[in-house]
Structure formats: structure tokens, C-alpha cells
Amino acid sequence: KSRRKPQSICHIANPDHLTKTIATVNKMFPDMKVTISRPGGSHLNAVVEVHLDRILKAVLIFKGLMIEWVVVKGWKEDLVKPDGQVDIWGESRYQVFQRITENANAAMLNFQSPVYPDLAVRSFMTYLHSFNSLFSDKCKKCGNHLQNNLPPTWREFRTLEPFHQDCKI
């Protein structure tokens, strides 16, 4: 008799499960407001908007409990297109948030866990919350606030310590 690996079902999780997970995240971080919407009445797909203090906004695309896409923009940038739809493909006009979008997508893949999807979502939200001190953090390697006119946009996944893009190596 062969042993089969149990299949992941986090991509088809009950919609209430994501709603409860987002409510937990809202309680964890009072300075981060997370809202969920389901386009077209979908039970499977969800669009989650994250507003981190007066620093950044992000759009997360979920399928069940799996994060599939992340876009990060500046605090004063619009997440909604003129036609009223959430802008999931447009990038920020600021280089700092373009870099954070790239890094957040890498973090999303790093934290993804089909076995513990709740933990994956909470870990990613903790990662995103670490940017609450984006413009005041110093790089842990070089000790500077800015390098190439950018703050440290990379966060080490385990410790969430800030590094500049070129210092993380």
C-alpha cells in the first residue's frame, strides 16, 4: 500500500475562515487596518486591502487562504481605478514602494504553507506590519537610513530586520 501525501485544500477554504483570520490580524495590529471584499460575490476569491498607519497601502489577492498577488503603494496613492475597480496590476509611482512590492511577493512565497495556511497569512501580515517604521529604520548592515536615496526596503524573513537592497547579501 503506497502512502499518499495529503492534498492541500487551503485554496478552496471556507470564506468565513479568511474573514476570521483577517479579524484576528486586525486585533493583532491596531495601527494596520485590513478590509476584505469579494468581487462579483465570489466565495473563493477575495481582495484584501491593507492600510498601514500613514505609510503604505497594499492590495492582496487571495484564493481561499492562499495569497496569490501583492501590490504595495504609497499612503496617498489610489488603490482604486477611476472605474471603481481595485487596481491589482498598477504599480506605485514611487520606487520605494515598487521595491517593497517585489519583496512582498517574495515574502508571500516564503511564508506560503499549504499545511498551516492561517499561520502563513498571519506571518505575512506581521511581515507587512514591519514596514511601520520604514522611513525611520536604519539598515542593519551599513547603519545608514538611505542608500541610493531609498530607505531599507528588504526585511529579513525570520527576524524582520531592515536591510537595503544591496546590503542584504
Side-chain angles (χ1 to χ4, degrees), residues 38-130:
R38 299 194 181 273
S42 172
H43 292 295
L44 186 57
N45 299 325
V47 175
V48 173
E49 290 184 36
V50 179
H51 296 256
L52 179 57
D53 209 12
R54 295 183 69 179
I55 297 164
L56 61 80
K57 297 176 183 179
V59 176
L60 313 177
I61 306 301
F62 278 83
K63 184 168 190 170
L65 276 175
M66 283 180 37
I67 304 171
E68 291 198 325
W69 187 248
V70 181
V71 176
V72 179
K73 293 188 176 188
W75 174 253
K76 293 195 175 195
E77 291 184 277
D78 291 327
L79 291 178
V80 179
K81 295 188 281 187
D83 65 0
Q85 292 204 341
V86 178
D87 187 10
I88 60 172
W89 300 114
E91 63 180 19
S92 173
R93 66 179 174 257
Y94 302 108
Q95 191 177 8
V96 63
F97 297 110
Q98 292 171 10
R99 288 258 176 102
I100 292 173
T101 296
E102 292 170 13
N103 297 338
N105 277 289
M108 173 251 318
L109 294 172
N110 177 72
F111 293 124
Q112 203 167 39
S113 170
V115 180
Y116 302 108
D118 298 43
L119 178 62
V121 172
R122 285 195 311 273
S123 297
F124 181 80
M125 293 299 194
T126 302
Y127 165 84
L128 205 55
H129 184 264
S130 73

